Amino acid sequence: MDAVSFAISPCPNDVVIFGAVILGRAGLPDRRATFAFEDVETLNEAALAGTYDVVKVSAAMAAPLAGDYDVLPSGAAFGFGAGPKLVTAKGFAGRPRTVAVPGLRTTAATLLRAALAEDRPELPVPDAAFVPVRYDAVVEAVAAGRAEAGLLIHETALAAAGHGLAVALDLGVWWQGQMPDVPVPLGVILANKRLGRERVAALGALLRQSLLAARKEPGLVAPLVRLFAREIDQQVIDAHIKAYVGELSLDMGELGRAALARLAGLASRTNRAS
């Protein structure tokens, strides 16, 4: 019997959502599961290559991958007035010309391209060079001067001050100013269409079941979350989960799908302009 291959990021929201499956407390009746943990840009690339059956990707990749994958209704991350954070070293003066980003295909980079097009004096110059690094190396890239600004995602975005960084722009707040009626979509779970409609539907139900199990018994997945988390402060981890694991993670519904459509439109306009 072939296993269903899953690939997710180690960020707290993914581990909470998939925790019951990882621990064997929820599963498909006819298949076992294998898991890989990668940074989000590596996951984006793996999805393009068709490496896994089920893969977490940046929400900005949902539209480009729609030919081969279905977006599962459960497991996504949306932010309401909170999102990736553009940061600089405290005391930095001037407009950054280089920005360390957690991948060129990420939702964070897509949003930043759109925000920089407004050419606001407190932000990097519109043609700032994006320097791709792993999400957990952005802080170091800014601290070491390899980039004048950085784009933080996952739980580290809530701990900028603790790393000696100043937040120049919360892209979730920026999005809400552009589109106040929908949340910012950050990450989604894709299932490869080669699995067939029945199994794809079962996977969507599985993720809902897994998240409900984590809600019912928080202590079940808490040690796993701490094991994979980039930040060690429990308050930061809890704040991250509260911000991005909500009712739309159980079922994105029409509101979530509308948000994805808005993001796809924004990405298309930004790409045409660049």
Side-chain angles (χ1 to χ4, degrees), residues 11-32:
C11 71
N13 57 284
D14 279 6
V15 178
V16 165
I17 290 165
F18 283 84
V21 182
I22 296 169
L23 295 171
R25 297 288 290 271
L28 294 170
D30 61 340
R31 295 283 185 105
R32 63 186 181 88

mmCIF file of all heavy atoms in Angstrom, residues 11-32:
data_model
loop_
_atom_site.group_PDB
_atom_site.id
_atom_site.type_symbol
_atom_site.label_atom_id
_atom_site.label_comp_id
_atom_site.label_asym_id
_atom_site.label_seq_id
_atom_site.Cartn_x
_atom_site.Cartn_y
_atom_site.Cartn_z
ATOM 1 N N CYS A 11 6.716 25.659 10.997
ATOM 2 C CA CYS A 11 6.141 26.780 11.735
ATOM 3 C C CYS A 11 5.009 26.285 12.636
ATOM 4 O O CYS A 11 4.366 25.267 12.348
ATOM 5 C CB CYS A 11 5.669 27.877 10.798
ATOM 6 S SG CYS A 11 4.213 27.477 9.836
ATOM 7 N N PRO A 12 4.738 26.989 13.737
ATOM 8 C CA PRO A 12 3.750 26.502 14.700
ATOM 9 C C PRO A 12 2.369 26.240 14.115
ATOM 10 O O PRO A 12 1.709 25.262 14.502
ATOM 11 C CB PRO A 12 3.708 27.625 15.741
ATOM 12 C CG PRO A 12 5.082 28.210 15.714
ATOM 13 C CD PRO A 12 5.469 28.163 14.259
ATOM 14 N N ASN A 13 1.901 27.094 13.186
ATOM 15 C CA ASN A 13 0.545 26.865 12.678
ATOM 16 C C ASN A 13 0.453 25.558 11.889
ATOM 17 O O ASN A 13 -0.526 24.815 12.005
ATOM 18 C CB ASN A 13 0.024 28.051 11.861
ATOM 19 C CG ASN A 13 0.887 28.417 10.688
ATOM 20 O OD1 ASN A 13 1.938 29.019 10.883
ATOM 21 N ND2 ASN A 13 0.474 28.087 9.479
ATOM 22 N N ASP A 14 1.464 25.229 11.098
ATOM 23 C CA ASP A 14 1.430 23.962 10.367
ATOM 24 C C ASP A 14 1.468 22.774 11.314
ATOM 25 O O ASP A 14 0.740 21.785 11.132
ATOM 26 C CB ASP A 14 2.626 23.873 9.411
ATOM 27 C CG ASP A 14 2.402 24.617 8.116
ATOM 28 O OD1 ASP A 14 1.379 25.302 7.993
ATOM 29 O OD2 ASP A 14 3.264 24.527 7.221
ATOM 30 N N VAL A 15 2.329 22.852 12.331
ATOM 31 C CA VAL A 15 2.473 21.722 13.248
ATOM 32 C C VAL A 15 1.196 21.520 14.062
ATOM 33 O O VAL A 15 0.789 20.382 14.320
ATOM 34 C CB VAL A 15 3.700 21.922 14.159
ATOM 35 C CG1 VAL A 15 3.825 20.753 15.144
ATOM 36 C CG2 VAL A 15 4.980 22.027 13.319
ATOM 37 N N VAL A 16 0.539 22.605 14.456
ATOM 38 C CA VAL A 16 -0.735 22.476 15.160
ATOM 39 C C VAL A 16 -1.771 21.796 14.267
ATOM 40 O O VAL A 16 -2.470 20.866 14.682
ATOM 41 C CB VAL A 16 -1.254 23.856 15.613
ATOM 42 C CG1 VAL A 16 -2.728 23.790 16.004
ATOM 43 C CG2 VAL A 16 -0.446 24.360 16.794
ATOM 44 N N ILE A 17 -1.862 22.252 13.027
ATOM 45 C CA ILE A 17 -2.885 21.729 12.120
ATOM 46 C C ILE A 17 -2.641 20.257 11.784
ATOM 47 O O ILE A 17 -3.575 19.448 11.745
ATOM 48 C CB ILE A 17 -2.942 22.588 10.846
ATOM 49 C CG1 ILE A 17 -3.521 23.973 11.181
ATOM 50 C CG2 ILE A 17 -3.765 21.910 9.761
ATOM 51 C CD1 ILE A 17 -3.297 25.011 10.100
ATOM 52 N N PHE A 18 -1.398 19.881 11.567
ATOM 53 C CA PHE A 18 -1.076 18.510 11.158
ATOM 54 C C PHE A 18 -0.679 17.613 12.333
ATOM 55 O O PHE A 18 -0.438 16.421 12.131
ATOM 56 C CB PHE A 18 0.078 18.526 10.148
ATOM 57 C CG PHE A 18 -0.318 18.928 8.762
ATOM 58 C CD1 PHE A 18 -0.398 20.266 8.413
ATOM 59 C CD2 PHE A 18 -0.615 17.979 7.802
ATOM 60 C CE1 PHE A 18 -0.752 20.660 7.129
ATOM 61 C CE2 PHE A 18 -0.977 18.349 6.519
ATOM 62 C CZ PHE A 18 -1.049 19.688 6.176
ATOM 63 N N GLY A 19 -0.626 18.182 13.539
ATOM 64 C CA GLY A 19 -0.075 17.443 14.672
ATOM 65 C C GLY A 19 -0.725 16.103 14.929
ATOM 66 O O GLY A 19 -0.039 15.095 15.166
ATOM 67 N N ALA A 20 -2.046 16.041 14.909
ATOM 68 C CA ALA A 20 -2.732 14.777 15.197
ATOM 69 C C ALA A 20 -2.425 13.726 14.135
ATOM 70 O O ALA A 20 -2.366 12.521 14.441
ATOM 71 C CB ALA A 20 -4.238 15.009 15.303
ATOM 72 N N VAL A 21 -2.221 14.159 12.894
ATOM 73 C CA VAL A 21 -1.848 13.213 11.833
ATOM 74 C C VAL A 21 -0.423 12.723 12.057
ATOM 75 O O VAL A 21 -0.129 11.522 11.959
ATOM 76 C CB VAL A 21 -1.977 13.864 10.443
ATOM 77 C CG1 VAL A 21 -1.632 12.860 9.351
ATOM 78 C CG2 VAL A 21 -3.383 14.416 10.233
ATOM 79 N N ILE A 22 0.479 13.652 12.370
ATOM 80 C CA ILE A 22 1.879 13.285 12.607
ATOM 81 C C ILE A 22 2.000 12.281 13.739
ATOM 82 O O ILE A 22 2.780 11.312 13.675
ATOM 83 C CB ILE A 22 2.710 14.547 12.931
ATOM 84 C CG1 ILE A 22 2.732 15.501 11.731
ATOM 85 C CG2 ILE A 22 4.138 14.181 13.323
ATOM 86 C CD1 ILE A 22 3.293 16.886 12.041
ATOM 87 N N LEU A 23 1.198 12.491 14.799
ATOM 88 C CA LEU A 23 1.266 11.637 15.985
ATOM 89 C C LEU A 23 0.418 10.373 15.873
ATOM 90 O O LEU A 23 0.346 9.584 16.808
ATOM 91 C CB LEU A 23 0.825 12.442 17.207
ATOM 92 C CG LEU A 23 1.735 13.624 17.571
ATOM 93 C CD1 LEU A 23 1.095 14.476 18.648
ATOM 94 C CD2 LEU A 23 3.110 13.129 18.009
ATOM 95 N N GLY A 24 -0.233 10.192 14.730
ATOM 96 C CA GLY A 24 -1.024 8.989 14.532
ATOM 97 C C GLY A 24 -2.384 9.010 15.191
ATOM 98 O O GLY A 24 -3.030 7.966 15.318
ATOM 99 N N ARG A 25 -2.852 10.203 15.591
ATOM 100 C CA ARG A 25 -4.156 10.308 16.238
ATOM 101 C C ARG A 25 -5.273 10.595 15.237
ATOM 102 O O ARG A 25 -6.445 10.616 15.596
ATOM 103 C CB ARG A 25 -4.116 11.402 17.308
ATOM 104 C CG ARG A 25 -3.138 11.118 18.430
ATOM 105 C CD ARG A 25 -3.644 10.006 19.334
ATOM 106 N NE ARG A 25 -4.790 10.456 20.107
ATOM 107 C CZ ARG A 25 -4.696 11.048 21.297
ATOM 108 N NH1 ARG A 25 -3.502 11.239 21.853
ATOM 109 N NH2 ARG A 25 -5.781 11.418 21.940
ATOM 110 N N ALA A 26 -4.909 10.843 14.008
ATOM 111 C CA ALA A 26 -5.876 11.018 12.916
ATOM 112 C C ALA A 26 -5.203 10.505 11.652
ATOM 113 O O ALA A 26 -3.999 10.685 11.466
ATOM 114 C CB ALA A 26 -6.269 12.487 12.755
ATOM 115 N N GLY A 27 -5.961 9.861 10.786
ATOM 116 C CA GLY A 27 -5.329 9.323 9.595
ATOM 117 C C GLY A 27 -6.337 8.850 8.573
ATOM 118 O O GLY A 27 -7.535 8.719 8.858
ATOM 119 N N LEU A 28 -5.852 8.594 7.376
ATOM 120 C CA LEU A 28 -6.687 8.040 6.325
ATOM 121 C C LEU A 28 -6.887 6.551 6.578
ATOM 122 O O LEU A 28 -5.944 5.847 6.949
ATOM 123 C CB LEU A 28 -6.018 8.253 4.967
ATOM 124 C CG LEU A 28 -5.885 9.713 4.506
ATOM 125 C CD1 LEU A 28 -4.991 9.797 3.286
ATOM 126 C CD2 LEU A 28 -7.253 10.293 4.187
ATOM 127 N N PRO A 29 -8.085 6.039 6.374
ATOM 128 C CA PRO A 29 -8.345 4.626 6.687
ATOM 129 C C PRO A 29 -7.609 3.648 5.779
ATOM 130 O O PRO A 29 -7.344 2.517 6.191
ATOM 131 C CB PRO A 29 -9.864 4.504 6.513
ATOM 132 C CG PRO A 29 -10.244 5.625 5.593
ATOM 133 C CD PRO A 29 -9.302 6.742 5.924
ATOM 134 N N ASP A 30 -7.253 4.087 4.575
ATOM 135 C CA ASP A 30 -6.669 3.144 3.623
ATOM 136 C C ASP A 30 -5.207 3.441 3.286
ATOM 137 O O ASP A 30 -4.630 2.776 2.427
ATOM 138 C CB ASP A 30 -7.482 3.143 2.326
ATOM 139 C CG ASP A 30 -7.486 4.509 1.640
ATOM 140 O OD1 ASP A 30 -7.206 5.514 2.321
ATOM 141 O OD2 ASP A 30 -7.745 4.557 0.425
ATOM 142 N N ARG A 31 -4.611 4.396 3.937
ATOM 143 C CA ARG A 31 -3.230 4.767 3.622
ATOM 144 C C ARG A 31 -2.482 5.160 4.888
ATOM 145 O O ARG A 31 -3.055 5.680 5.838
ATOM 146 C CB ARG A 31 -3.187 5.971 2.665
ATOM 147 C CG ARG A 31 -3.773 5.733 1.274
ATOM 148 C CD ARG A 31 -2.831 4.953 0.388
ATOM 149 N NE ARG A 31 -3.363 4.836 -0.952
ATOM 150 C CZ ARG A 31 -2.915 5.545 -1.997
ATOM 151 N NH1 ARG A 31 -1.968 6.432 -1.837
ATOM 152 N NH2 ARG A 31 -3.443 5.361 -3.197
ATOM 153 N N ARG A 32 -1.171 4.942 4.892
ATOM 154 C CA ARG A 32 -0.332 5.530 5.925
ATOM 155 C C ARG A 32 0.245 6.838 5.388
ATOM 156 O O ARG A 32 0.102 7.151 4.204
ATOM 157 C CB ARG A 32 0.781 4.563 6.336
ATOM 158 C CG ARG A 32 1.773 4.214 5.231
ATOM 159 C CD ARG A 32 2.741 3.137 5.682
ATOM 160 N NE ARG A 32 3.702 2.827 4.640
ATOM 161 C CZ ARG A 32 4.853 3.473 4.478
ATOM 162 N NH1 ARG A 32 5.189 4.452 5.309
ATOM 163 N NH2 ARG A 32 5.682 3.143 3.499
#
